[in-house]
Amino acid sequence: MSILVQFAIGLVFGLGLVIAGMSDPAKVLNFLDLAAIPTGGWDPSLAFVLTGAIAVTFIGFKLVLRRSQPIFGGKFHLPTATGIDARIVAGPAIFGVGWGLAGFCPGPAFTALTTGGNAALGFVLAMLVGMAGARWLASRPARLFPVTPRI
Amino acid sequence: MTATDFTPLASLLGGALIGVSAVMLMAAQGRIAGVSGIAVRLLPPYADGELVGRFAFILGIVVAPLVVMLATGAAPVQTIEAGPGLLVVAGLLVGFGSVWGNGCTSGHGVCGLSRLSLRSLVATLTFMATAMLTVFLTRHLL
């Protein structure tokens, strides 16, 4: 049952992306292109997507988190980290460069798998490799960042 | 570059649906709807027994354009301007960066900002800035 529900929740997410136009990388790149504002080529739609999403999520999370536990049991898994470290800047900085090169972030890249042909498939496979690489690197901090630096 | 129409209502509505999905996933599973965090956990090593549920969530996103096609009779517009080599480089950077920074547009930009997380605010401002800078460099300087 919870598997079907999670499929449906993913479907709503994907429908939201497609209806919002975010499955089109050109639309995303035209939002990121601030230099196109004077020439009329700027597409502010992405700001409206974030506004709609945050408005619903902000209120919805408050209501849902009043419950003692999720519908299918277990507990609410909320991020516990609060500090600002190098990773919370470096990761998004790298992610942003990739996003600006292709116009795809992870969600829209998955919506492109059925309609974007080999180009989208190549992006998604590379993305998964990059994800695996980051997780592998994160799991080996001691070896890569020794406490005692070698001179 | 390909011109696109400004779609305030459709984008607001689509965004609201993304929000509904994020709220539903929190209500049902107690999980943040962060696509990069869910996608990386499709790969081994597996830390918990929620692999099938995560796969189902991603599969829902994958089939969404097909559902739109069935409903409207037309495939959603999708213009991929980058060539194959650039797409692979971009994919590596998006994958690495989103996992290294613990989130992407959905996890930090939607869920994190909705939780008023300072880390997500820093992350969102950072990826918006480097993405805008990248587009400026590739479209207007190079």
Side-chain angles (χ1 to χ4, degrees):
Chain A
M1 179 64 186
S2 95
I3 306 296
L4 270 179
V5 169
Q6 286 178 83
F7 172 77
I9 294 172
L11 186 60
V12 171
F13 196 102
L15 290 175
L17 284 173
V18 174
I19 291 168
M22 294 299 100
S23 50
D24 184 3
K27 205 165 168 58
V28 173
L29 291 178
N30 285 346
F31 168 78
L32 295 170
D33 191 1
L34 297 184
I37 293 176
T39 57
W42 188 50
D43 184 348
S45 302
L46 193 150
F48 284 68
V49 182
L50 273 181
T51 304
I54 291 172
V56 171
T57 310
F58 177 75
I59 297 168
F61 271 12
K62 280 195 187 308
L63 297 175
V64 164
L65 294 173
R66 281 185 196 164
R67 296 174 52 96
S68 58
Q69 66 173 165
I71 294 163
F72 290 108
K75 63 186 183 74
F76 291 109
H77 300 268
L78 294 171
T80 50
T82 53
I84 304 299
D85 51 20
R87 270 182 70 173
I88 199 65
V89 177
I94 294 166
F95 160 60
V97 173
W99 192 33
L101 285 177
F104 276 133
C105 53
F110 282 115
T111 69
L113 273 181
T114 49
T115 48
N118 285 342
L121 182 63
F123 180 92
V124 169
L125 290 178
M127 181 177 83
L128 292 172
V129 169
M131 288 177 164
R135 190 159 69 158
W136 175 81
L137 203 60
S139 69
R140 283 162 171 74
R143 217 174 75 195
L144 283 158
F145 310 109
V147 179
T148 315
R150 284 186 209 155
I151 301 167
Chain B
M1 57 182 278
T2 308
T4 54
D5 294 325
F6 175 37
T7 54
L9 283 179
S11 289
L12 204 57
L13 174 70
L17 275 180
I18 293 170
V20 167
S21 172
V23 173
M24 285 167 67
L25 192 64
M26 185 57 73
Q29 303 293 132
R31 292 282 180 187
I32 294 281
V35 177
S36 59
I38 293 171
V40 71
R41 289 176 179 85
L42 293 181
L43 307 167
Y46 303 115
D48 55 30
E50 297 184 42
L51 175 65
V52 182
R54 291 192 176 103
F55 184 79
F57 177 85
I58 297 291
L59 189 66
I61 297 179
V62 169
V63 302
L66 301 179
V67 173
V68 171
M69 270 171 76
L70 283 177
T72 66
V77 179
Q78 208 154 49
T79 312
I80 303 175
E81 294 169 341
L86 192 60
L87 279 168
V88 168
V89 173
L92 287 170
L93 294 172
V94 165
F96 183 90
S98 59
V99 169
W100 193 248
N102 286 310
C104 55
T105 359
S106 48
H108 283 309
V110 175
C111 296
L113 291 188
S114 297
R115 294 173 50 246
L116 306 179
S117 154
L118 179 64
R119 275 168 62 84
S120 290
L121 179 64
V122 169
T124 305
L125 291 176
T126 305
F127 66 64
M128 283 287 178
T130 58
M132 286 172 172
L133 193 66
T134 302
V135 170
F136 181 72
L137 288 173
T138 53
R139 280 193 172 177
H140 302 285
L141 288 186
L142 298 180

